[in-house]
Short mmCIF file of all heavy atoms in Angstrom, two decimals:
data_model
loop_
_atom_site.label_atom_id
_atom_site.label_comp_id
_atom_site.label_asym_id
_atom_site.label_seq_id
_atom_site.Cartn_x
_atom_site.Cartn_y
_atom_site.Cartn_z
N ARG A 1 0.83 -1.22 0.00
CA ARG A 1 0.00 0.00 0.00
C ARG A 1 0.86 1.26 0.00
O ARG A 1 0.34 2.36 0.15
CB ARG A 1 -0.98 -0.02 1.16
CG ARG A 1 -0.39 -0.06 2.53
CD ARG A 1 -1.48 -0.22 3.59
NE ARG A 1 -0.93 -0.58 4.86
CZ ARG A 1 -0.66 -1.82 5.26
NH1 ARG A 1 -0.90 -2.83 4.46
NH2 ARG A 1 -0.15 -2.05 6.44
N GLY A 2 2.16 1.08 -0.14
CA GLY A 2 3.03 2.24 -0.13
C GLY A 2 2.93 2.95 1.21
O GLY A 2 2.90 2.31 2.25
N HIS A 3 2.87 4.27 1.17
CA HIS A 3 2.77 5.06 2.40
C HIS A 3 1.34 5.56 2.64
O HIS A 3 1.13 6.48 3.43
CB HIS A 3 3.75 6.24 2.35
CG HIS A 3 5.17 5.80 2.24
ND1 HIS A 3 5.84 5.21 3.28
CD2 HIS A 3 6.03 5.82 1.20
CE1 HIS A 3 7.06 4.90 2.90
NE2 HIS A 3 7.21 5.26 1.63
N GLN A 4 0.39 4.99 1.93
CA GLN A 4 -1.00 5.43 2.05
C GLN A 4 -1.60 4.99 3.37
O GLN A 4 -1.25 3.94 3.91
CB GLN A 4 -1.84 4.84 0.92
CG GLN A 4 -1.53 5.39 -0.44
CD GLN A 4 -2.33 4.67 -1.49
OE1 GLN A 4 -1.77 3.93 -2.28
NE2 GLN A 4 -3.63 4.89 -1.50
N LYS A 5 -2.53 5.79 3.85
CA LYS A 5 -3.28 5.43 5.05
C LYS A 5 -4.61 6.18 5.03
O LYS A 5 -4.83 7.07 4.22
CB LYS A 5 -2.49 5.74 6.31
CG LYS A 5 -2.08 7.19 6.46
CD LYS A 5 -1.20 7.39 7.68
CE LYS A 5 -0.77 8.84 7.74
NZ LYS A 5 0.09 9.11 8.86
N VAL A 6 -5.49 5.78 5.93
CA VAL A 6 -6.78 6.45 6.08
C VAL A 6 -6.54 7.79 6.75
O VAL A 6 -5.78 7.89 7.72
CB VAL A 6 -7.75 5.58 6.91
CG1 VAL A 6 -9.07 6.28 7.11
CG2 VAL A 6 -7.96 4.21 6.26
N SER A 7 -7.17 8.83 6.23
CA SER A 7 -6.95 10.18 6.77
C SER A 7 -7.62 10.35 8.13
O SER A 7 -8.59 9.66 8.46
CB SER A 7 -7.49 11.24 5.80
OG SER A 7 -8.91 11.24 5.82
N LYS A 8 -7.12 11.31 8.88
CA LYS A 8 -7.73 11.65 10.18
C LYS A 8 -9.15 12.18 9.99
O LYS A 8 -10.03 11.93 10.81
CB LYS A 8 -6.87 12.66 10.93
CG LYS A 8 -5.56 12.08 11.40
CD LYS A 8 -4.69 13.10 12.08
CE LYS A 8 -3.37 12.46 12.48
NZ LYS A 8 -2.41 13.41 13.00
N THR A 9 -9.37 12.90 8.90
CA THR A 9 -10.72 13.42 8.61
C THR A 9 -11.70 12.26 8.42
O THR A 9 -12.79 12.27 8.98
CB THR A 9 -10.69 14.30 7.34
OG1 THR A 9 -9.78 15.37 7.54
CG2 THR A 9 -12.08 14.82 7.01
N CYS A 10 -11.29 11.26 7.65
CA CYS A 10 -12.15 10.10 7.42
C CYS A 10 -12.41 9.34 8.72
O CYS A 10 -13.55 8.94 9.00
CB CYS A 10 -11.51 9.18 6.39
SG CYS A 10 -12.48 7.69 6.06
N ILE A 11 -11.37 9.15 9.51
CA ILE A 11 -11.52 8.47 10.81
C ILE A 11 -12.48 9.26 11.70
O ILE A 11 -13.35 8.68 12.35
CB ILE A 11 -10.15 8.27 11.49
CG1 ILE A 11 -9.32 7.26 10.69
CG2 ILE A 11 -10.32 7.81 12.93
CD1 ILE A 11 -7.86 7.19 11.10
N SER A 12 -12.36 10.57 11.69
CA SER A 12 -13.24 11.42 12.51
C SER A 12 -14.69 11.31 12.05
O SER A 12 -15.60 11.13 12.86
CB SER A 12 -12.80 12.88 12.45
OG SER A 12 -11.51 13.02 12.97
N ILE A 13 -14.91 11.43 10.74
CA ILE A 13 -16.28 11.35 10.20
C ILE A 13 -16.90 10.00 10.53
O ILE A 13 -18.03 9.93 11.03
CB ILE A 13 -16.28 11.57 8.67
CG1 ILE A 13 -15.95 13.03 8.34
CG2 ILE A 13 -17.61 11.16 8.05
CD1 ILE A 13 -15.66 13.28 6.87
N THR A 14 -16.15 8.95 10.28
CA THR A 14 -16.66 7.60 10.52
C THR A 14 -16.94 7.37 12.01
O THR A 14 -17.96 6.78 12.37
CB THR A 14 -15.67 6.56 9.98
OG1 THR A 14 -15.40 6.85 8.61
CG2 THR A 14 -16.22 5.15 10.09
N SER A 15 -16.06 7.86 12.85
CA SER A 15 -16.25 7.70 14.31
C SER A 15 -17.50 8.44 14.77
O SER A 15 -18.29 7.90 15.56
CB SER A 15 -15.03 8.22 15.07
OG SER A 15 -13.89 7.47 14.74
N VAL A 16 -17.69 9.67 14.29
CA VAL A 16 -18.88 10.45 14.67
C VAL A 16 -20.15 9.74 14.20
O VAL A 16 -21.14 9.63 14.94
CB VAL A 16 -18.80 11.89 14.12
CG1 VAL A 16 -20.14 12.60 14.21
CG2 VAL A 16 -17.73 12.68 14.86
N ILE A 17 -20.13 9.22 12.98
CA ILE A 17 -21.31 8.53 12.43
C ILE A 17 -21.65 7.30 13.27
O ILE A 17 -22.80 7.11 13.67
CB ILE A 17 -21.06 8.13 10.95
CG1 ILE A 17 -20.98 9.36 10.06
CG2 ILE A 17 -22.12 7.14 10.47
CD1 ILE A 17 -22.28 10.11 9.87
N TRP A 18 -20.65 6.46 13.55
CA TRP A 18 -20.94 5.22 14.31
C TRP A 18 -21.27 5.51 15.77
O TRP A 18 -22.09 4.82 16.36
CB TRP A 18 -19.82 4.21 14.16
CG TRP A 18 -19.88 3.56 12.80
CD1 TRP A 18 -18.98 3.71 11.78
CD2 TRP A 18 -20.91 2.70 12.30
NE1 TRP A 18 -19.40 2.99 10.69
CE2 TRP A 18 -20.58 2.35 10.98
CE3 TRP A 18 -22.09 2.19 12.84
CZ2 TRP A 18 -21.37 1.52 10.20
CZ3 TRP A 18 -22.88 1.35 12.06
CH2 TRP A 18 -22.51 1.03 10.76
N LEU A 19 -20.67 6.54 16.34
CA LEU A 19 -21.03 6.93 17.71
C LEU A 19 -22.48 7.44 17.73
O LEU A 19 -23.26 7.09 18.63
CB LEU A 19 -20.07 8.00 18.24
CG LEU A 19 -20.28 8.44 19.68
CD1 LEU A 19 -20.13 7.26 20.64
CD2 LEU A 19 -19.31 9.53 20.04
N SER A 20 -22.85 8.22 16.74
CA SER A 20 -24.24 8.71 16.63
C SER A 20 -25.20 7.54 16.46
O SER A 20 -26.29 7.52 17.06
CB SER A 20 -24.38 9.66 15.45
OG SER A 20 -23.55 10.78 15.61
N ALA A 21 -24.82 6.56 15.64
CA ALA A 21 -25.67 5.38 15.44
C ALA A 21 -25.84 4.62 16.75
O ALA A 21 -26.95 4.17 17.07
CB ALA A 21 -25.06 4.47 14.37
N LEU A 22 -24.78 4.50 17.52
CA LEU A 22 -24.85 3.83 18.82
C LEU A 22 -25.80 4.56 19.76
O LEU A 22 -26.63 3.93 20.43
CB LEU A 22 -23.46 3.71 19.45
CG LEU A 22 -23.41 3.07 20.83
CD1 LEU A 22 -23.93 1.63 20.80
CD2 LEU A 22 -21.99 3.12 21.37
N VAL A 23 -25.72 5.88 19.79
CA VAL A 23 -26.64 6.67 20.62
C VAL A 23 -28.08 6.42 20.18
O VAL A 23 -28.98 6.25 21.01
CB VAL A 23 -26.28 8.18 20.55
CG1 VAL A 23 -27.38 9.04 21.16
CG2 VAL A 23 -24.95 8.44 21.24
N CYS A 24 -28.31 6.35 18.88
CA CYS A 24 -29.67 6.10 18.37
C CYS A 24 -30.15 4.71 18.76
O CYS A 24 -31.33 4.54 19.10
CB CYS A 24 -29.71 6.27 16.85
SG CYS A 24 -29.52 7.99 16.34
N VAL A 25 -29.27 3.72 18.75
CA VAL A 25 -29.65 2.37 19.20
C VAL A 25 -30.05 2.42 20.67
O VAL A 25 -31.08 1.84 21.07
CB VAL A 25 -28.49 1.36 18.98
CG1 VAL A 25 -28.77 0.05 19.70
CG2 VAL A 25 -28.27 1.13 17.49
N ILE A 26 -29.28 3.13 21.48
CA ILE A 26 -29.58 3.24 22.92
C ILE A 26 -30.92 3.94 23.15
O ILE A 26 -31.70 3.55 24.01
CB ILE A 26 -28.42 3.96 23.65
CG1 ILE A 26 -27.18 3.07 23.65
CG2 ILE A 26 -28.81 4.35 25.07
CD1 ILE A 26 -25.89 3.76 24.06
N VAL A 27 -31.20 4.96 22.35
CA VAL A 27 -32.47 5.69 22.47
C VAL A 27 -33.64 4.81 22.00
O VAL A 27 -34.70 4.79 22.62
CB VAL A 27 -32.43 7.01 21.65
CG1 VAL A 27 -33.81 7.63 21.52
CG2 VAL A 27 -31.45 7.98 22.30
N ALA A 28 -33.46 4.07 20.92
CA ALA A 28 -34.55 3.28 20.34
C ALA A 28 -34.87 2.03 21.15
O ALA A 28 -36.02 1.59 21.19
CB ALA A 28 -34.19 2.87 18.91
N TRP A 29 -33.87 1.46 21.80
CA TRP A 29 -34.03 0.16 22.47
C TRP A 29 -35.17 0.13 23.49
O TRP A 29 -36.05 -0.74 23.39
CB TRP A 29 -32.70 -0.23 23.12
CG TRP A 29 -32.63 -1.69 23.43
CD1 TRP A 29 -33.13 -2.33 24.53
CD2 TRP A 29 -32.04 -2.69 22.63
NE1 TRP A 29 -32.88 -3.66 24.46
CE2 TRP A 29 -32.21 -3.91 23.29
CE3 TRP A 29 -31.38 -2.67 21.41
CZ2 TRP A 29 -31.73 -5.11 22.78
CZ3 TRP A 29 -30.90 -3.86 20.90
CH2 TRP A 29 -31.08 -5.06 21.58
N PRO A 30 -35.21 1.02 24.47
CA PRO A 30 -36.27 0.90 25.49
C PRO A 30 -37.68 1.11 24.95
O PRO A 30 -38.64 0.54 25.46
CB PRO A 30 -35.94 1.99 26.52
CG PRO A 30 -34.71 2.65 26.09
CD PRO A 30 -34.30 2.13 24.76
N LYS A 31 -37.81 1.90 23.90
CA LYS A 31 -39.14 2.20 23.34
C LYS A 31 -39.49 1.28 22.17
O LYS A 31 -40.57 1.41 21.60
CB LYS A 31 -39.19 3.65 22.88
CG LYS A 31 -39.02 4.65 24.01
CD LYS A 31 -39.07 6.06 23.47
CE LYS A 31 -38.86 7.04 24.62
NZ LYS A 31 -38.94 8.42 24.18
N HIS A 32 -38.56 0.40 21.80
CA HIS A 32 -38.75 -0.49 20.65
C HIS A 32 -39.09 0.32 19.39
O HIS A 32 -39.93 -0.08 18.59
CB HIS A 32 -39.84 -1.53 20.93
CG HIS A 32 -39.56 -2.36 22.13
ND1 HIS A 32 -38.65 -3.39 22.12
CD2 HIS A 32 -40.03 -2.28 23.40
CE1 HIS A 32 -38.59 -3.93 23.33
NE2 HIS A 32 -39.41 -3.27 24.12
N SER A 33 -38.40 1.42 19.20
CA SER A 33 -38.63 2.30 18.05
C SER A 33 -37.78 1.83 16.86
O SER A 33 -36.92 2.54 16.35
CB SER A 33 -38.26 3.74 18.41
OG SER A 33 -39.03 4.19 19.48
N TRP A 34 -38.06 0.61 16.41
CA TRP A 34 -37.22 -0.02 15.39
C TRP A 34 -37.36 0.65 14.03
O TRP A 34 -36.38 0.79 13.31
CB TRP A 34 -37.53 -1.51 15.30
CG TRP A 34 -37.51 -2.18 16.64
CD1 TRP A 34 -38.49 -2.94 17.19
CD2 TRP A 34 -36.45 -2.13 17.62
NE1 TRP A 34 -38.11 -3.37 18.44
CE2 TRP A 34 -36.87 -2.88 18.74
CE3 TRP A 34 -35.21 -1.51 17.68
CZ2 TRP A 34 -36.09 -3.05 19.87
CZ3 TRP A 34 -34.44 -1.67 18.82
CH2 TRP A 34 -34.87 -2.44 19.89
N LEU A 35 -38.56 1.06 13.67
CA LEU A 35 -38.74 1.73 12.39
C LEU A 35 -37.95 3.04 12.37
O LEU A 35 -37.28 3.36 11.38
CB LEU A 35 -40.22 2.00 12.11
CG LEU A 35 -40.53 2.70 10.78
CD1 LEU A 35 -40.03 1.89 9.60
CD2 LEU A 35 -42.03 2.98 10.66
N TRP A 36 -38.02 3.80 13.45
CA TRP A 36 -37.24 5.04 13.54
C TRP A 36 -35.74 4.72 13.41
O TRP A 36 -35.02 5.40 12.69
CB TRP A 36 -37.52 5.74 14.86
CG TRP A 36 -36.63 6.92 15.09
CD1 TRP A 36 -36.73 8.15 14.52
CD2 TRP A 36 -35.46 6.96 15.91
NE1 TRP A 36 -35.70 8.97 14.94
CE2 TRP A 36 -34.90 8.25 15.80
CE3 TRP A 36 -34.82 6.02 16.73
CZ2 TRP A 36 -33.75 8.63 16.48
CZ3 TRP A 36 -33.68 6.40 17.40
CH2 TRP A 36 -33.15 7.70 17.27
N LEU A 37 -35.31 3.64 14.09
CA LEU A 37 -33.89 3.29 14.07
C LEU A 37 -33.42 2.90 12.67
O LEU A 37 -32.37 3.38 12.22
CB LEU A 37 -33.60 2.15 15.06
CG LEU A 37 -32.14 1.76 15.21
CD1 LEU A 37 -31.30 2.94 15.69
CD2 LEU A 37 -32.01 0.58 16.17
#
């Protein structure tokens, strides 16, 4: 792969997205809001 790597911007975007998704799972779970999720 030479000296290529994933950028910090990409890591940040992806981390924010998956952290947000996790928060949504936590919010949806007790109310069984699966369609919203």
Side-chain angles (χ1 to χ4, degrees):
R1 61 186 166 274
H3 298 289
Q4 291 176 249
K5 58 185 177 181
V6 178
S7 73
K8 291 177 182 173
T9 301
C10 179
I11 292 168
S12 298
I13 290 169
T14 306
S15 297
V16 166
I17 292 290
W18 285 111
L19 183 60
S20 299
L22 178 61
V23 168
C24 290
V25 168
I26 292 167
V27 168
W29 199 277
K31 296 179 182 182
H32 303 282
S33 300
W34 310 127
L35 180 60
W36 173 77
L37 184 60

